[in-house]
Amino acid sequence: MIIPVDLAKAYRMLNHGPVTLVSSAHGDQRNVMAAAWAMPLDFSPPKVAVVIDKQTFTRGLVEASGEFVLNIPARGIAAQVIAAGGHSGRDGDKFDALGLATLPSAVVAAPRVAGCVGWLECRVIREPHNEQAYDLFLGEVVAASADARVFRDGHWLFDEATDPNLRTLHYVAGGQFYATGDSLQVASD
Amino acid sequence: MIIPVDLAKAYRMLNHGPVTLVSSAHGDQRNVMAAAWAMPLDFSPPKVAVVIDKQTFTRGLVEASGEFVLNIPARGIAAQVIAAGGHSGRDGDKFDALGLATLPSAVVAAPRVAGCVGWLECRVIREPHNEQAYDLFLGEVVAASADARVFRDGHWLFDEATDPNLRTLHYVAGGQFYATGDSLQVASD
């Protein structure tokens, strides 16, 4: 079951540094790309930063629409995350090519990617210098949602979910990931 | 044994989204803070982005020196990572307070933090608007090094290292981390 996530807790979905899929849409075109270089930027309103290279088809769709979704894939679609990095949306609809289903978003036009366990719908905060000089895009999170099997009440619950394919992924290079591992709790002071 | 890391592979140390410690120094002052909001920004020359709040003692040291180190802590010092977020360097030397030893850096004046498994020495790329509006600092990585037990030849090797305390950490909130988990390899195309 997919549940809405309180915007004040939305940063927690990205805080542990998972790889993301960036989905975008403009007019009758849509695309999805893999992005490991994404992070929270602020708590409230929640903001994110993500690197979107000038060479990508996604770049034009994000610039034209001013919107994107950061999708947080689960281990079960690791192969599609790699394939999303190896294909271009210029060569045909990448969702169809990869067998990735979509879900409509709550606020933005870009779709959410099925098989993910968290979704951050974002509006671009236009910063042309960052975009040109660094391929760096900033976004405000305008809606957030999660797969309730692994994220509820503002917390990831990977230790409760027994299916390892529901864990999030951390990308290194060359097709190698680390899955999100054991939880540990340190007393805060 | 600590080994130098080829700058072309430096992004891989941060690519999987681990929590970091930001160390800094200026004049006779030094400090260390925890930062989960850090990511690679470019491959070559390698660049990083990190959020450093205006309220922090670290902020002044980074602004004055134009340098910082992103230290990648291992699970063995998880308690100190949390404590680093709960103390201010304004109240006395935080390395001493937390029992964190330091190592001299290769290029920058800020020290490297012992108990970490990777180190990215950075020079600030001054972007005053980002710093003021978003607390967002960009840096060029000018030297990189790693604990050879877990990072060699441009790769993390957590599955070879049998000591779980050498794994890196992914921070959520409230003292809760996930350790870096199992490796998985997907064929790249």
Side-chain angles (χ1 to χ4, degrees), chain A residues 7-25:
Chain A
L7 284 180
K9 300 290 172 60
Y11 78 94
R12 291 189 184 175
M13 306 181 71
L14 202 55
N15 211 74
H16 67 303
V19 71
T20 67
L21 292 171
V22 180
S23 55
S24 55

Side-chain angles (χ1 to χ4, degrees), chain A residues 15 37 127 130 134 174 179 185, chain B residues 15 37 127 130 134 174 182 185:
Chain A
N15 211 74
W37 298 359
E127 289 286 358
N130 283 335
Y134 304 108
Q185 178 70 48
Chain B
N15 212 75
W37 299 359
E127 289 286 359
N130 283 335
Y134 304 109
D182 302 334
Q185 179 70 48

Side-chain angles (χ1 to χ4, degrees), chain B residues 29-62:
Chain B
Q29 295 185 302
R30 62 180 189 168
N31 202 32
V32 56
M33 63 170 258
W37 299 359
M39 68 176 184
L41 183 65
D42 209 347
F43 295 105
S44 183
K47 300 189 185 94
V48 298
V50 58
V51 176
I52 302 175
D53 193 272
K54 287 178 188 67
Q55 307 297 323
T56 63
F57 185 56
T58 292
R59 175 73 172 251
L61 299 181
V62 170

Side-chain angles (χ1 to χ4, degrees), chain A residues 16-21 33-37 71-86 98 100 115-116 164-165 167-181, chain B residues 11-12 14-18 154-160 167-168 170 179-189:
Chain A
H16 67 303
V19 71
T20 67
L21 292 171
M33 64 170 259
W37 298 359
N71 306 267
I72 304 172
R75 181 172 179 157
I77 62 165
Q80 285 95 325
V81 175
I82 295 302
L98 303 182
L100 283 173
C116 292
N165 277 330
R167 291 195 175 236
T168 50
L169 296 165
H170 306 269
Y171 191 58
V172 183
Q176 191 217 341
F177 300 91
Y178 287 101
T180 304
Chain B
Y11 78 93
R12 292 189 183 174
L14 201 56
N15 212 75
H16 67 304
H155 292 279
W156 288 110
L157 300 162
F158 296 121
D159 286 358
E160 284 187 25
R167 293 198 172 233
T168 50
H170 305 269
T180 304
D182 302 334
S183 179
L184 63 153
Q185 179 70 48
V186 173
S188 307
D189 61 4

Side-chain angles (χ1 to χ4, degrees), chain B residues 22-116:
Chain B
V22 180
S23 55
S24 56
H26 182 65
D28 62 355
Q29 295 185 302
R30 62 180 189 168
N31 202 32
V32 56
M33 63 170 258
W37 299 359
M39 68 176 184
L41 183 65
D42 209 347
F43 295 105
S44 183
K47 300 189 185 94
V48 298
V50 58
V51 176
I52 302 175
D53 193 272
K54 287 178 188 67
Q55 307 297 323
T56 63
F57 185 56
T58 292
R59 175 73 172 251
L61 299 181
V62 170
E63 289 185 334
S65 66
E67 297 176 346
F68 60 90
V69 180
L70 286 186
N71 305 266
I72 302 173
R75 182 173 178 157
I77 62 165
Q80 286 94 326
V81 174
I82 295 300
H87 288 71
S88 172
R90 291 190 186 91
D91 303 328
D93 187 90
K94 208 195 282 189
F95 294 94
D96 292 344
L98 304 182
L100 283 172
T102 61
L103 309 162
S105 289
V107 174
V108 305
R112 290 180 295 172
V113 180
C116 292

Side-chain angles (χ1 to χ4, degrees), chain A residues 33-123:
Chain A
M33 64 170 259
W37 298 359
M39 69 176 184
L41 184 66
D42 208 346
F43 294 104
S44 183
K47 300 189 185 92
V48 299
V50 59
V51 176
I52 303 175
D53 193 273
K54 287 178 190 65
Q55 308 297 322
T56 62
F57 185 54
T58 293
R59 176 70 172 254
L61 299 183
V62 171
E63 289 183 336
S65 66
E67 298 177 346
F68 60 89
V69 180
L70 286 186
N71 306 267
I72 304 172
R75 181 172 179 157
I77 62 165
Q80 285 95 325
V81 175
I82 295 302
H87 288 71
S88 173
R90 291 191 186 89
D91 303 328
D93 186 273
K94 208 195 284 189
F95 294 93
D96 292 345
L98 303 182
L100 283 173
T102 61
L103 309 163
S105 289
V107 173
V108 305
R112 291 179 294 173
V113 181
C116 292
V117 288
W119 298 272
L120 298 171
E121 301 178 30
C122 300
R123 286 216 181 95

